[in-house]
Amino acid sequence: MTFVVTEACIRCKYTDCVDVCPVDAFREGPNFLVIDPEQCIDCAVCVPECPVSAIYAEEDVPGDQQDFTPLNAELARVWKPITKTKKALPDAEAWREVTDKRAELER
């Protein structure tokens, strides 16, 4: 099992989760984070750190977010690791409550 970053992270990219990850499993894209399933040790410490509740255990990913499991694996292969907290995107608060953001994902 691994943990998965889902749609709520798109256009917010809060990085509170990054500092607590003991194995540096997060990868950073332009407006989204993913978890490398090969690095994740299933410790769950990132889950409560996410201010938009975007991180789920693989087995608990909501049905309408299942496509994010393979997406995390795919993007983790090409995006660079992020190991320190950065400021959220400038308009993160405006996007925090928005749903249906898949079209906003920048690869």
Side-chain angles (χ1 to χ4, degrees):
M1 184 182 77
T2 187
F3 282 80
V4 177
V5 181
T6 60
E7 185 174 25
C9 182
I10 298 171
R11 300 244 7 207
C12 292
K13 200 170 89 171
Y14 292 100
T15 58
D16 306 61
C17 52
V18 171
D19 271 341
V20 298
C21 183
V23 294
D24 298 332
F26 284 89
R27 304 294 182 258
E28 180 183 24
N31 68 352
F32 185 58
L33 298 175
V34 297
I35 295 173
D36 183 340
E38 299 295 321
Q39 293 291 119
C40 182
I41 59 170
D42 311 323
C43 68
V45 296
C46 58
V47 175
E49 298 301 317
C50 182
V52 294
S53 301
I55 305 172
Y56 293 87
E58 185 176 13
E59 63 194 21
D60 297 330
V61 173
D64 67 339
Q65 302 285 301
Q66 292 287 316
D67 56 320
F68 281 89
T69 300
L71 182 65
N72 272 239
E74 172 194 336
L75 296 176
R77 288 190 295 272
V78 294
W79 286 353
K80 295 189 186 301
I82 177 172
T83 59
K84 295 193 184 327
T85 300
K86 296 181 178 180
K87 288 185 179 183
L89 295 175
D91 58 351
E93 282 301 311
W95 285 93
R96 186 181 187 124
E97 302 295 326
V98 176
T99 57
D100 196 24
K101 302 190 280 186
R102 283 176 172 81
E104 299 293 326
L105 176 63
E106 295 177 33
R107 293 174 174 256

